[in-house]
Amino acid sequence: MSQPPRKILVTAALPYANGHIHIGHLVEYIQTDIWVRFQKLKGNRCVFLCADDTHGTAIMIRARQEGRSEEALIADMREAHIRDFDGFDIEFDNYGSTNSAANRALCGDVWSALRKSGLIVEQDVTQLFDVQEGTFLADRFVKGICPKCGAVDQYGDNCEKCGATYSPGDLKDPVSTLSGTKPELRSAKHLFVRIEDLHGFLEEWTQSGEHLQPEVANYLKGHFLGEPLRDWDVSRPAPYFGFEIPDSPGNFWYVWFDAPIGYMASLREWCERTGEQFDDWWPRSISPSAGEGSASVEIHHFIGKDITYFHTLFWPAMLNAARFQLPARVHIHGFLTVGGEKMSKSKGTFVRGRTYLDHLDPSFLRYYFASKLTAKLDDIDMNLDEFVSKINSDLVGKVVNLASRTAKFVQETGLSDSYPVDGGLFARAAAEGDAIAAAYDGCDYNAAMRSIMALADRANKFIDDLAPWTLRKDPNRAADVRNVCTIALNLFRQLAVYLAPVLPRLAKQAGELLNSPIQSWADAQQPIAGTAVSPFQHMLKRVEPEQVSKMIAASQEAPATAASATTVDGPAALAAEPLVAETISIDEFSKMDLRVARVVAAEDVKESNKLLRLTLSLGGDVNRNVFAGIKGVYQPETLVGRLVIVVANLAPRKMKFGMSEGMVLAAGPGGKDIYILSPDSGAVPGQRVH
RNA sequence: GGCAGGGUAGCUCAGUGGUUAGAGCAGCGGCUUCAUAAGCCGCGUGUCGCGGGUUCGACCCCCGCCCCUGCUACCA
């Protein structure tokens, strides 16, 4: 019954600072947050850590395109991430950044341990180099013709058409997607970790059955552990946004080296803030196979299946080599699909967290995901109709309804002075607490939600059978009414405790209603009596399907609008700006390079009262950073995805906020009357306007 | 190609070597009207992907096949 409290360190994967949080990310953060809240409610000591993952080529390139520093970019994104997580009640004990002093120091520690173990080796790596941009090109930044089958537009590492794999040097007619220029082969020194030396350890750790789901263990065994492990390339030559390796000037730690160490850095920051000892929470392990004594801390990582091998091979290898305690468990979840399909920008199912919050209550998503999540790494599907009906019938119709149909009968009197005889209902539900707890602890939230809803059904039937609204008509039965409602409200409160990890707001509201705060999992074991009952207030609004469709519409990339109208147009516009009398030649016109472009990012320039910062794609990976004076007329979110016309050869202009590399065409006199030009549907980014 | 996971009622999913395979939602009929048009009762449906095999008996075990998804380290 009462085990000693566990000491648990929990991490969720670090979101990359290159994009906003979307509902796919939220599967993980909600899953983890529920687990952490559950552990805390159980009385365990639990620390929940996360951070922004900030390094790497993608960040460097994007910052360059936006004409600002990497630091400015990641600072903005971090702020947005924190705001989004907060909106979903995801409560980290510390939210750090991999670009922090703490992380640099810890990377240094781990690095020198690897050096001392003799695991670091040097090898030359030949890669394509973009001379114009002055940077080596990762495979995804090179396109060319497949050397095997001749398919065009293939990435540097493999061909999507014929499936051939090759090295970027083999690619025919390679083109850098950054600059559009032809890259050249150059070789540079890279540093590798010889993890094959740890093969035996990894075999044992991954296959022990204790740390990983069985599918994952099989995957690793089949894919990696069956043959010698290849050396892991952990450095990148300059220029690279990251930490320079102290004993190898000009080389930087690869982003996947410093990202997981970011977990530790976040812990260090938390320790500094709270006075806790780092070594108590992430000890140096004496034994390389990490003893998990009862007194020691358990480390739990929650990740998506896309980053499995980083967390189950490289990371344990690094920890082992540096003699840090290994994770007790890596919990791996699947991807989110919407309506049975991959999230899609054009279908509007690629929903950002922020967009969701503009339309819907975060509790809904928390509950919905909880009802779908199991311990397996299957993908989970978000069916929007089901989403609406689950929220409305489970949460509103079953759970909250228990309170809303009885609370007002006892508002005057409060709960009965002692808990009445209820035929064992409360006790039976209390007895299920351990099973529900086990489901939470084992990440089988689906099972937990099923059990809880079954309890809600029983409670509703109880009220229905006893019909307090009928009893109420007989003045002699006032005590019975009070007793029935006392039971009903206690059953409601019990459910609120069981749901508290998922729905912290509901738990708080239940506490306020009954004037008895929910603070612990054990609160579900004892009924309360004699407390006052506050006036009932709505706890959750039911979902209207229109809210969901609006959210989807707001997430949809604007399709070309087909407007047709036969109207009579007035002369005012022409009068305001008369036609220009002077003519130009076709040659003069053709000096202007007008292009179709797609808005791939749009954001507010805070310091300016007119400007939005737009990132325009001209196709491929050719992007332009353009400032447009349309703030207040267009919401940045509504621009993303739509096609515009840009003057591509307008001389770049340095502005206070960065470089503006073009101009988006719009009609209208200005002020609020600004109308961006769109090409007809069918146009694609990069096409020239003639 | 290989590997992993999945294919169970209209939808989303549970499930176990053994009597007539389940839940929620949707649908249909009734009751109720306290409650956020909420609640309660009753009803239906399924070749449990296909074909073999093991077994007294398989949706669950084995083999083959089909379909879906994902992965396939020096990309993130």
Side-chain angles (χ1 to χ4, degrees):
Chain A
M1 192 85 145
S2 59
Q3 301 96 340
R6 290 153 68 186
K7 198 164 150 191
I8 308 169
L9 184 151
V10 181
T11 70
L14 311 186
Y16 201 47
N18 195 26
H20 286 283
I21 300 301
H22 56 69
I23 55 175
H25 290 114
L26 285 164
V27 170
E28 172 169 314
Y29 299 101
I30 288 175
Q31 178 188 43
T32 315
D33 185 70
I34 289 171
W35 201 78
V36 168
R37 285 179 185 272
F38 166 73
Q39 300 299 349
K40 289 179 175 173
L41 203 61
K42 279 287 267 179
N44 294 321
R45 294 198 67 199
C46 187
V47 186
F48 185 15
L49 302 170
C50 198
D52 256 20
D53 181 17
T54 59
H55 291 155
T57 311
I59 298 287
M60 181 176 78
I61 300 296
R62 176 164 167 183
R64 213 178 266 189
Q65 283 168 346
E66 294 182 1
R68 53 181 177 159
S69 68
E70 288 93 346
E71 286 79 4
L73 168 65
I74 66 178
D76 278 1
M77 197 53 83
R78 177 186 149 87
E79 205 178 297
H81 285 175
I82 289 175
R83 213 168 38 232
D84 290 347
F85 287 136
D86 190 54
F88 284 92
D89 295 333
I90 292 156
E91 213 168 73
F92 300 113
D93 290 288
N94 191 68
Y95 196 85
S97 162
T98 58
N99 197 44
S100 67
N103 201 38
R104 187 190 289 270
L106 281 158
C107 287
D109 290 351
V110 173
W111 184 251
S112 42
L114 292 171
R115 280 280 198 200
K116 267 184 209 143
S117 320
L119 291 170
I120 305 298
V121 294
E122 287 183 9
Q123 287 169 38
D124 279 344
V125 171
T126 301
Q127 266 186 303
L128 290 169
F129 185 85
D130 184 323
V131 181
Q132 186 171 319
E133 291 285 331
T135 179
F136 281 96
L137 296 166
D139 296 342
R140 60 188 287 251
F141 293 113
V142 190
K143 278 194 162 181
I145 298 171
C146 169
K148 292 258 168 48
C149 74
V152 295
D153 253 11
Q154 297 305 315
Y155 285 113
D157 52 349
N158 68 76
C159 174
E160 291 179 330
K161 288 270 159 42
C162 71
T165 55
Y166 38 79
S167 68
D170 299 333
L171 205 62
K172 287 189 194 155
D173 293 336
V175 173
S176 163
T177 60
L178 300 183
S179 64
T181 59
K182 184 183 162 136
E184 58 187 48
L185 279 173
R186 284 197 192 175
S187 97
K189 182 180 81 176
H190 282 230
L191 297 159
F192 291 74
V193 183
R194 211 172 50 213
I195 58 172
E196 175 59 11
D197 286 5
L198 300 168
H199 198 130
F201 154 73
L202 287 171
E203 179 91 35
E204 186 191 324
W205 187 82
T206 59
Q207 304 301 313
S208 76
E210 290 170 29
H211 312 299
L212 301 174
Q213 289 129 300
E215 310 92 291
V216 178
N218 289 342
Y219 157 75
L220 296 172
K221 191 173 184 149
H223 274 91
F224 306 106
L225 296 167
E227 49 191 271
L229 294 160
R230 292 188 218 166
D231 296 341
W232 182 35
D233 186 352
V234 291
S235 78
R236 294 294 182 273
Y240 191 77
F241 180 57
F243 294 137
E244 191 165 21
I245 301 175
D247 55 17
S248 183
N251 288 306
F252 290 71
W253 283 307
Y254 173 49
V255 57
W256 265 110
F257 179 82
D258 73 52
I261 296 174
Y263 298 142
M264 298 177 136
S266 192
L267 172 65
R268 179 151 285 171
E269 289 176 357
W270 177 76
C271 288
E272 276 161 17
R273 226 182 41 240
T274 58
E276 294 277 340
Q277 292 303 306
F278 183 93
D279 292 341
D280 290 345
W281 286 91
W282 208 315
R284 300 269 174 170
S285 69
I286 311 301
S287 133
S289 51
E292 282 115 34
S294 56
S296 69
V297 60
E298 300 168 32
I299 297 168
H300 291 255
H301 298 305
F302 285 79
I303 61 165
K305 61 186 183 180
D306 51 331
I307 55 176
T308 297
Y309 60 72
F310 292 109
H311 284 82
T312 56
L313 291 177
F314 302 146
W315 180 232
M318 282 161 66
L319 290 172
N320 176 274
R323 301 269 159 172
F324 277 108
Q325 178 165 322
L326 291 153
R329 188 91 192 172
V330 181
H331 305 264
I332 306 180
H333 61 80
F335 297 140
L336 179 71
T337 56
V338 180
E341 297 178 353
K342 267 191 213 182
M343 296 193 296
S344 140
K345 286 185 179 167
S346 64
K347 288 182 180 159
T349 52
F350 200 96
V351 181
R352 283 190 186 178
R354 186 47 44 187
T355 311
Y356 175 97
L357 291 171
D358 288 343
H359 295 87
L360 293 162
D361 186 326
S363 297
F364 299 165
L365 196 68
R366 293 178 65 98
Y367 176 72
Y368 185 74
F369 283 166
S371 77
K372 307 292 275 188
L373 280 164
T374 66
K376 295 196 254 179
L377 42 68
D378 297 340
D379 292 348
I380 68 172
D381 185 50
M382 178 161 183
N383 178 294
L384 297 171
D385 294 335
E386 187 198 34
F387 172 78
V388 173
S389 75
K390 243 187 182 8
I391 300 310
N392 289 344
S393 58
D394 290 2
L395 294 186
V396 179
K398 290 180 181 175
V399 177
V400 174
N401 196 218
L402 288 170
S404 71
R405 67 195 303 205
T406 54
K408 76 171 190 185
F409 298 151
V410 283
Q411 210 175 292
E412 305 292 321
T413 62
L415 298 184
S416 303
D417 296 325
S418 63
Y419 186 70
V421 173
D422 68 357
L425 261 185
F426 189 94
R428 272 170 67 205
E432 288 193 36
D434 283 350
I436 295 169
Y440 271 120
D441 195 47
C443 292
D444 196 356
Y445 303 162
N446 166 283
M449 296 307 111
R450 273 167 202 275
S451 306
I452 294 168
M453 286 310 136
L455 299 180
D457 286 341
R458 293 212 303 245
N460 272 305
K461 180 166 162 44
F462 166 81
I463 297 173
D464 224 72
D465 291 346
L466 276 286
W469 50 91
T470 306
L471 298 176
R472 225 166 131 250
K473 292 174 183 162
D474 180 350
N476 295 321
R477 304 203 63 179
D480 290 339
V481 172
R482 194 179 177 203
N483 284 342
V484 168
C485 294
T486 296
I487 293 166
L489 289 169
N490 263 290
L491 296 174
F492 166 69
R493 179 168 182 274
Q494 198 173 34
L495 296 177
V497 175
Y498 289 154
L499 287 169
V502 180
L503 304 173
R505 293 183 192 188
L506 181 70
K508 187 158 178 290
Q509 289 164 321
E512 285 162 4
L513 177 71
L514 301 177
N515 294 290
S516 170
I518 289 170
Q519 286 162 327
S520 145
W521 187 254
D523 288 337
Q525 296 299 311
Q526 277 303 322
I528 57 171
T531 65
V533 175
S534 306
F536 181 78
Q537 292 175 345
H538 273 22
M539 298 182 182
L540 289 169
K541 269 209 200 97
R542 78 190 359 261
V543 196
E544 299 301 331
E546 297 74 53
Q547 293 172 269
V548 175
S549 31
K550 279 185 188 159
M551 175 184 80
I552 297 298
S555 301
Q556 198 155 20
E557 285 196 346
T561 49
S564 70
T566 50
T567 52
V568 179
D569 298 312
L574 201 53
E577 280 188 276
L579 293 170
V580 176
E582 190 188 350
T583 58
I584 59 169
S585 68
I586 185 80
D587 293 338
E588 286 175 286
F589 169 73
S590 55
K591 284 170 74 177
M592 208 177 345
D593 191 8
L594 300 177
R595 296 286 172 162
V596 176
R598 189 183 300 285
V599 181
V600 294
E603 58 180 300
D604 203 42
V605 177
K606 282 197 203 68
E607 312 90 305
S608 156
N609 45 24
K610 277 183 137 176
L611 294 179
L612 294 185
R613 177 202 307 280
L614 305 180
T615 305
L616 304 177
S617 165
L618 290 174
D621 278 335
V622 181
N623 283 352
R624 289 293 179 84
N625 182 57
V626 171
F627 290 94
I630 53 175
K631 186 183 202 164
V633 183
Y634 287 89
Q635 294 302 311
E637 315 80 71
T638 63
L639 290 171
V640 173
R642 69 171 284 179
L643 295 178
V644 298
I645 305 297
V646 61
V647 186
N649 62 338
L650 191 67
R653 185 166 183 85
K654 188 164 171 31
M655 305 184 70
K656 186 176 163 195
F657 317 106
M659 199 65 103
S660 191
E661 305 164 321
M663 180 167 128
V664 172
L665 295 187
K672 287 278 176 189
D673 284 323
I674 297 177
Y675 307 96
I676 292 179
L677 265 55
S678 299
D680 271 356
S681 73
V684 298
Q687 281 177 338
R688 184 159 185 189
V689 179
H690 299 284

